[in-house]
């Protein structure tokens, strides 16, 4: 079983920064691809950034140059550094882990990020 726990969300003014963390239990963290998704009110959940087991990264266009995804495999933790935040970044952010053995997607409970203008 895998459990994911996000932290680091909060309220910040436009232009500010936040760092999200995702702590994972279980033994498959280092072998798994992971990602951060977000869902704003009235919108579908979207992939924000992803990172492979070899630490290759990918970002949605709207966050390129502002967000950085990273992972610390020995600590079973993934991060999302968010700089130059905009009101449109306001959403619940979810941590995702995909099992490399079953393809099953695990999700955290989400952390709220609110950016005021």
């Amino acid at each position: 079983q895998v459990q994911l726990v996000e932290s680091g969300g909060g309220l910040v003014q436009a232009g500010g920064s936040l760092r999200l963390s995702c702590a994972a239990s279980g033994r498959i963290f280092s072998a798994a691809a992971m990602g951060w998704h977000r869902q704003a009110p009235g919108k579908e959940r979207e992939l924000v950034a992803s990172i492979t087991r070899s630490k290759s990264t990918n970002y949605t266009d709207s966050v390129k140059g502002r967000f950085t995804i990273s992972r610390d495999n020995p600590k079973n933790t993934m991060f999302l550094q968010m700089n130059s935040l905009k009101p449109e970044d306001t959403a619940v952010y979810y941590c995702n882990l995909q099992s490399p053995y079953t393809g099953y997607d695990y999700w955290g409970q989400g952390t709220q990020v609110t950016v005021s203008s």
Side-chain angles (χ1 to χ4, degrees):
Q1 280 290 348
V2 174
Q3 289 187 327
L4 304 174
V5 179
E6 301 101 332
S7 61
L11 173 63
V12 64
Q13 289 188 333
S17 298
L18 285 173
R19 190 189 195 208
L20 305 183
S21 299
C22 173
S25 64
R27 299 183 177 181
I28 66 172
F29 180 88
S30 61
M34 298 193 68
W36 288 98
H37 299 242
R38 66 186 179 188
Q39 187 166 18
K43 295 188 177 182
E44 293 187 354
R45 189 174 298 190
E46 64 168 345
L47 176 63
V48 175
S50 61
I51 186 165
T52 67
R53 59 184 294 179
S54 59
K55 301 186 179 181
S56 295
T57 60
N58 194 34
Y59 299 91
T60 192
D61 286 346
S62 62
V63 308
K64 285 181 180 177
R66 300 189 298 121
F67 290 10
T68 302
I69 189 171
S70 61
R71 63 193 296 167
D72 185 337
N73 287 340
K75 295 184 178 180
N76 277 18
T77 305
M78 178 179 66
F79 304 98
L80 185 67
Q81 178 67 44
M82 304 186 295
N83 299 327
S84 302
L85 282 161
K86 304 176 181 181
E88 51 264 43
D89 294 318
T90 295
V92 178
Y93 284 70
Y94 296 92
C95 170
N96 167 259
L97 180 152
Q98 185 175 67
S99 170
Y101 309 115
T102 66
Y104 185 81
D105 279 310
Y106 295 90
W107 295 92
Q109 82 287 353
T111 185
Q112 176 70 47
V113 171
T114 303
V115 184
S116 62
S117 57

